[in-house]
Amino acid sequence: MAERGAGDRGGFGRGFGGRGRGGDRGGRGRGGRRGRRDNEEKDWVPVTKLGRLVRDGKIKSIEQIYLHSLPIKEYQIIDILIGPSLKDEVMKIMPVQKQTRAGQRTRFKAFVVVGDGNGHVGLGVKCSKEVATAIRGSIILAKLSIIPVRRGYWGNKIGKPHTVPCKVTGKCGSVTVRMVPAPRGAGIVAARVPKKVLQFAGIEDVFTSSRGSTKTLGNFVKATFDCLLKTYGFLTPDFWRETRFSKSPFQEYTDLLAKPTAKVVHVVEDAEAA
Amino acid sequence: MSKEMEFDANEEKLKTLRVSSLDEEEDDNEAQVDEIDDPDLSTDEDEEGEVHPVTLGFVEKLKNKWSLLRHYFPSKAGGTPAWLDPINLPSEKSSLCDFCSEPLQFLLQVYGPLTEESTFHHESTFHRALFVFMCPSMACLLRDQHEQWKRHPEKPCRSVKVFRCQLPQTNSFYSGKPPSEDGTEQPLTAGAKLCNWCGTWKGDKVCSSCRKARYCSGKHQAAHWRSGHRLACTRLQTSLEMSESAASNSLWPQYEITIEDECEFENEMSDSEYSNILVSGNRVDESVRSLMDDFAGDDDKRSWASFQERISRAPEQVLRYCRSAKAKALWPVHSGRPSRSDIPACNYCGGTRCFEFQVLPQLLYYFGVQNDVDSLDWATIVVYTCEASCKGDEGYKEEFAWVQLVSQSAP
């Protein structure tokens, strides 16, 4: 911590830009950071407002985020909300190559599916020079892309929902996957690849039918994922009742609130700076 | 006929050659071009990693009471500013938010002198500090967004203001020697009296009854009156005691900003995976690009992915400092970026302004900002300062700040 007395550097060697490469104040408390690579959740400093809300514990379930269609930009949010029950599985590691002047450059593309077996699935794809990096990165991307899956009944509404609520179909590339509700005990009648995804989603019984080049695993998996995405997009008679809008953590929808209030509420407008 | 068949056979061979490369997602033209296409994809990424070393700022709780006083030339966030030039403070007009006319609140200050390495170093930049103030109201920040896009407005209206102050080594406020590290150093002169409520701005106006409490504006006088001065006022007329710290409870918590170089963290991240840690900045391109492949198509998502990648090396950083003409900020969001011409020239010398530092949203977390509908939230605040760091006469000169907000729409 010796201050340079003679021939003073600008600012006595302190401050930004005023330091030498060695840094006299560099060792202050930051040295311990080097060895500490674990406990990443504890060290997470949220960058977005949603992240701050989750970190503070104001948001208890992921459904609150889905209700207002808020974009999830930090994977630690998912970790905190449904992290403990989340399982992941690597579907495939595919080497992809690019031709260069000096030969071929191989990278590895990893497909990872995460899910908690109770209505949430995510799919992540990442390409990287090393397999481990690709897998880690795709797990993060999978967590960011977690969607809710709607389950329903085939016939009698006894017990918990076990199958898709209606016939849905999803498409990616040339692959289309169609899911049809099945009675209890039918199990997941699907190919190996979508069966994994559906197991993670928590669907117990379903009949599937696929078309197209299902050999391309990437498209096949994305098509199933797209299919599951649509389960909540399908308007069934249960949704005929008029929606009661609730306040999002970010905005107030004044004219859409079901109950008309006597006092005047001002609208907070979000000005896009594009 | 046989010739045609041969021709067909050759074509087949060529086709099979293509297929066996297992290329699915890569573009066809990528296969022809060699590694030169890397900069094409990363044109909108910062190349600053390998050329311009970035210094990071982290917030830390105060270790000792004296290290944030102005004669120790601190860098701090929250609380009250440690004015470098304690006498010639910014005028009252510039201390107000131009939308709601409330005095601005102190965000952070950066002590960034120019050393011999910088081309614009001269004796008056021996001490140099930048102070960032902003109005804590989100409504004003939203209106400020419109204003910052205007070029050459007649009367600039901002709710985020940056002031720069610089002093030569020999000046009337501080001794020419480095301050002693044991808390005994004292400044040469006492500073101007500051407002009792915010502790930030000059306290020109006095309380009419006790004539001891000073305020920068009527609003702060009213706030202090309500929150306790009404009872203490009559007592003060007789006694001489006056508390030194600001009375306001809405100031942001005070922290010290410690400094680390970003390259130290780069080595840490790469040592377990990559054998060569010599390549510090270039490593980013590989994984950033593949991240970008998967966040494909959307510029916003791509910027966010590379932003996350960059800050994940040191997730607690709140400040990124890199003073260089070619340095570019790390933009979290693609939309809402200024172009060269959006950044105005220096008001005082007419020279260009260059990027100096940017404030990151982790600071909001450390400040404990409420996460209500109308509470403060930004993606980054980028500060551009006069490249020549012009001298001028005034104590504090205004610089340009650019605020980028997170777009609320779902991607």
Side-chain angles (χ1 to χ4, degrees):
Chain A
M1 278 254 276
E3 298 287 352
R4 293 164 230 243
D8 289 330
R9 292 177 62 88
F12 303 131
R14 315 160 87 96
F16 290 85
R19 299 162 68 229
R21 275 297 125 215
D24 32 293
R25 302 226 312 211
R28 212 210 256 221
R30 293 285 149 187
R33 194 159 307 278
R34 309 281 167 92
R36 204 163 41 132
R37 291 281 308 277
D38 53 357
N39 300 342
E40 276 180 25
E41 280 83 26
K42 281 201 224 144
D43 283 340
W44 171 44
V45 181
V47 173
T48 53
K49 196 176 197 178
L50 187 63
R52 270 175 259 133
L53 281 169
V54 170
R55 182 84 204 255
D56 286 342
K58 301 267 171 56
I59 294 190
K60 296 286 184 317
S61 83
I62 207 176
E63 264 62 45
Q64 289 172 334
I65 302 180
Y66 288 140
L67 182 62
H68 301 286
S69 303
L70 302 171
I72 301 176
K73 295 193 163 177
E74 298 181 273
Y75 73 93
Q76 293 96 336
I77 294 175
I78 304 286
D79 270 338
I80 287 183
L81 291 175
I82 57 172
S85 52
L86 217 51
K87 282 188 257 303
D88 56 76
E89 165 135 1
V90 179
M91 305 279 298
K92 181 168 180 167
I93 310 265
M94 194 168 76
V96 289
Q97 290 178 337
K98 178 183 127 167
Q99 197 71 26
T100 65
R101 257 201 295 239
Q104 281 144 342
R105 190 208 50 196
T106 311
R107 289 195 302 169
F108 297 97
K109 195 162 176 173
F111 294 85
V112 168
V113 174
V114 307
D116 66 345
N118 196 17
H120 301 106
V121 245
L123 172 68
V125 180
K126 174 144 178 180
C127 198
S128 183
K129 262 193 164 183
E130 301 198 1
V131 177
T133 324
I135 292 178
R136 205 176 314 123
S138 54
I139 291 180
I140 291 178
L141 284 173
K143 286 183 183 166
L144 285 177
S145 73
I146 284 201
I147 53 160
V149 170
R150 186 168 185 218
R151 291 161 293 171
Y153 298 97
W154 173 80
N156 288 336
K157 294 193 177 31
I158 307 170
K160 290 254 172 234
H162 60 104
T163 185
V164 254
C166 54
K167 293 183 191 171
V168 281
T169 168
K171 184 169 161 70
C172 177
S174 75
V175 182
T176 70
V177 171
R178 184 187 196 216
M179 301 202 311
V180 169
R184 253 184 235 279
I188 301 176
V189 181
R192 196 172 33 93
V193 164
K195 186 169 186 167
K196 239 335 135 46
V197 179
L198 293 168
Q199 277 170 347
F200 275 104
I203 291 178
E204 295 163 32
D205 314 284
V206 68
F207 295 137
T208 62
S209 156
S210 57
R211 195 207 151 129
S213 174
T214 58
K215 209 167 75 157
T216 45
L217 184 130
N219 285 348
F220 202 9
V221 144
K222 284 188 198 164
T224 345
F225 197 68
D226 181 50
C227 197
L228 291 171
L229 193 62
K230 288 186 175 170
T231 56
Y232 259 118
F234 204 99
L235 182 65
T236 61
D238 334 342
F239 293 146
W240 283 355
R241 189 172 278 266
E242 233 177 270
T243 327
R244 295 194 142 229
F245 291 100
S246 56
K247 232 170 19 160
S248 139
F250 294 168
Q251 277 189 333
E252 283 183 30
Y253 295 93
T254 54
D255 48 339
L256 300 174
L257 280 173
K259 294 190 288 286
T261 50
K263 60 181 165 89
V264 174
V265 197
H266 64 274
V267 179
V268 176
E269 275 170 47
D270 212 9
E272 300 289 315
Chain B
M1 288 302 135
S2 59
K3 258 201 199 163
E4 271 185 29
M5 303 255 287
E6 267 191 28
F7 199 66
D8 283 337
N10 283 340
E11 265 194 47
E12 285 301 310
K13 274 198 198 157
L14 284 173
K15 281 194 194 149
T16 50
L17 265 176
R18 275 287 179 82
V19 168
S20 69
S21 72
L22 296 176
D23 244 320
E24 280 189 22
E25 304 256 299
E26 318 266 343
D27 294 316
D28 280 333
N29 45 3
E30 248 193 343
Q32 309 305 322
V33 183
D34 54 14
E35 303 284 353
I36 310 178
D37 71 344
D38 283 347
D40 286 343
L41 271 171
S42 52
T43 37
D44 51 339
E45 301 308 314
D46 329 324
E47 298 292 342
E48 61 173 283
E50 48 264 56
V51 185
H52 313 283
V54 178
T55 319
L56 304 178
F58 298 87
V59 285
E60 272 190 11
K61 275 280 165 209
L62 201 44
K63 292 261 167 58
N64 26 45
K65 280 206 296 280
W66 44 264
S67 54
L68 288 188
L69 296 174
R70 59 182 171 85
H71 40 276
Y72 282 93
F73 312 116
S75 294
K76 60 185 283 205
T80 57
W83 293 111
L84 186 65
D85 178 345
I87 306 292
N88 309 312
L89 297 182
S91 65
E92 177 171 352
K93 202 167 52 68
S94 53
S95 72
L96 301 178
C97 168
D98 294 318
F99 303 105
C100 61
S101 306
E102 293 253 353
L104 297 171
Q105 195 162 321
F106 174 63
L107 187 75
L108 53 81
Q109 71 180 75
V110 167
Y111 180 69
L114 297 184
T115 59
E116 288 91 25
E117 286 145 6
S118 158
T119 42
F120 294 102
H121 155 82
H122 65 95
E123 59 151 49
S124 79
T125 61
F126 190 83
H127 293 294
R128 186 168 166 275
L130 295 147
F131 300 83
V132 183
F133 295 89
M134 72 189 296
C135 183
S137 145
M138 189 65 185
C140 292
L141 194 60
L142 292 172
R143 288 170 68 184
D144 180 73
Q145 281 284 287
H146 294 288
E147 293 294 325
Q148 78 184 7
W149 283 96
K150 286 189 188 162
R151 300 183 195 181
H152 318 293
E154 320 78 41
K155 202 170 62 71
C157 277
R158 299 297 307 274
S159 79
V160 179
K161 295 195 185 167
V162 183
F163 296 102
R164 164 171 62 90
C165 173
Q166 51 198 51
L167 294 173
Q169 185 174 4
T170 44
N171 55 68
S172 48
F173 308 116
Y174 309 104
S175 79
K177 297 189 316 304
S180 55
E181 292 291 337
D182 52 4
T184 54
E185 183 85 11
Q186 294 295 326
L188 294 181
T189 63
K193 294 270 188 281
L194 300 174
C195 170
N196 275 104
W197 180 249
C198 61
T200 305
W201 304 107
K202 243 189 310 200
D204 292 337
K205 311 174 180 35
V206 275
C207 171
S208 44
S209 43
C210 66
R211 301 222 167 268
K212 294 239 176 44
R214 309 184 80 100
Y215 300 104
C216 61
S217 60
K219 293 198 164 77
H220 283 186
Q221 187 257 325
H224 196 207
W225 184 258
R226 276 196 304 267
S227 77
H229 187 62
R230 197 182 49 195
L231 308 162
C233 191
T234 42
R235 276 200 319 218
L236 277 168
Q237 279 169 1
T238 48
S239 76
L240 283 167
E241 46 149 297
M242 197 72 231
S243 66
E244 282 303 318
S245 55
S248 166
N249 52 1
S250 60
L251 293 181
W252 288 314
Q254 181 170 255
Y255 292 96
E256 182 172 3
I257 295 182
T258 46
I259 305 165
E260 290 282 331
D261 287 321
E262 191 178 32
C263 46
E264 293 175 24
F265 293 97
E266 280 177 41
N267 292 341
E268 179 189 317
M269 286 300 283
S270 53
D271 61 3
S272 60
E273 290 131 43
Y274 309 117
S275 47
N276 49 337
I277 47 181
L278 297 170
V279 195
S280 57
N282 287 329
R283 275 282 157 247
V284 180
D285 297 55
E286 201 47 65
S287 33
V288 164
R289 218 146 32 82
S290 50
L291 245 180
M292 276 158 44
D293 286 344
D294 306 312
F295 277 95
D298 200 301
D299 281 333
D300 264 353
K301 271 190 178 169
R302 251 186 282 160
S303 323
W304 185 260
S306 45
F307 171 73
Q308 286 278 53
E309 175 87 27
R310 200 71 198 265
I311 66 169
S312 64
R313 300 180 209 170
E316 303 175 359
Q317 59 189 273
V318 291
L319 196 84
R320 295 179 68 87
Y321 185 96
C322 180
R323 186 167 209 276
S324 165
K326 292 189 202 55
K328 288 200 290 246
L330 183 67
W331 296 101
V333 186
H334 184 78
S335 57
R337 291 203 233 181
S339 57
R340 260 295 63 174
S341 41
D342 281 321
I343 305 165
C346 175
N347 305 346
Y348 306 94
C349 71
T352 51
R353 283 201 168 117
C354 72
F355 168 73
E356 177 140 7
F357 66 89
Q358 67 179 120
V359 189
L360 297 174
Q362 283 91 327
L363 189 63
L364 289 167
Y365 172 72
Y366 286 114
F367 277 169
V369 166
Q370 295 305 309
N371 295 307
D372 305 322
V373 178
D374 52 356
S375 51
L376 215 49
D377 185 28
W378 28 267
T380 188
I381 299 179
V382 182
V383 174
Y384 296 91
T385 56
C386 174
E387 197 169 351
S389 201
C390 54
K391 191 161 171 295
D393 313 313
E394 295 175 47
Y396 290 85
K397 301 171 198 54
E398 277 203 44
E399 298 286 10
F400 184 71
W402 184 274
V403 181
Q404 193 182 49
L405 295 183
V406 188
S407 52
Q408 286 306 329
S409 51

